[in-house]
């Protein structure tokens, strides 16, 4: 996947139904929290850009889906809420059958917007 895809719709269309559905929910939650952000493909994965900077991204991997706040600071600041998920700096992994709650995604996106304004 990746290189030749130019839109999030094309990226999602290439996925299995379960991953596509999970990531579409992520996309909707991001759009809800950052309606002025621009959709793009960055480093071969779906992302949202705000004020010329990548805000957040998401992707499907072989055995999971991932949400990328693009910030270890944001992940660390929300470690209590993310305790049930496999995380590393800048990445939150989840199963398509157990997606991240939209409320949590919106909270993380708002935290990234605030971080980018500093």
């Amino acid at each position: 996947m990746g290189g030749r895809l130019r839109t999030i719709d094309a990226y999602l269309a290439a996925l299995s139904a379960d991953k596509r559905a999970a990531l579409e929910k992520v996309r909707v939650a991001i759009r809800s929290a950052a309606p002025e952000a621009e959709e793009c493909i960055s480093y071969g994965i779906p992302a949202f850009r705000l004020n010329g900077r990548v805000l957040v991204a998401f992707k499907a991997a072989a055995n999971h889906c991932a949400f990328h706040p693009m910030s270890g600071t944001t992940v660390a600041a929300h470690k209590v809420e993310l305790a049930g998920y496999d995380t590393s700096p800048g990445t939150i992994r989840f199963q398509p059958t157990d997606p991240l709650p939209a409320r949590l995604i919106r909270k993380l996106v708002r935290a990234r917007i605030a971080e980018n304004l500093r």
Side-chain angles (χ1 to χ4, degrees):
M1 195 154 337
R4 293 195 171 113
L5 298 176
R6 297 184 187 275
T7 67
I8 292 179
D9 286 333
Y11 181 95
L12 293 173
L15 301 178
S16 62
D18 61 337
K19 289 179 181 174
R20 183 171 48 250
L23 292 179
E24 186 60 48
K25 289 178 183 175
V26 171
R27 181 188 197 185
V28 168
I30 295 167
R31 172 69 54 218
S32 171
E36 61 288 334
E38 162 193 10
E39 290 189 351
C40 63
I41 299 292
S42 181
Y43 297 100
I45 63 172
F48 282 76
R49 188 179 296 127
L50 185 62
N51 300 325
R53 298 167 69 188
V54 174
L55 183 66
V56 296
F58 58 90
K59 72 177 182 186
N63 298 312
H64 65 271
C65 292
F67 175 68
H68 301 282
M70 310 300 273
S71 165
T73 303
T74 297
V75 172
H78 294 86
K79 66 182 179 186
V80 171
E81 294 132 306
L82 297 171
Y85 298 96
D86 179 19
T87 64
S88 59
T91 302
I92 304 156
R93 287 170 284 284
F94 60 93
Q95 293 302 311
T97 54
D98 187 22
L100 290 173
R103 170 199 55 74
L104 180 56
I105 295 167
R106 289 189 301 267
K107 186 174 189 176
L108 293 167
V109 170
R110 286 191 295 271
R112 282 292 292 137
I113 292 169
E115 186 178 351
N116 277 357
L117 292 176
R118 287 187 211 137

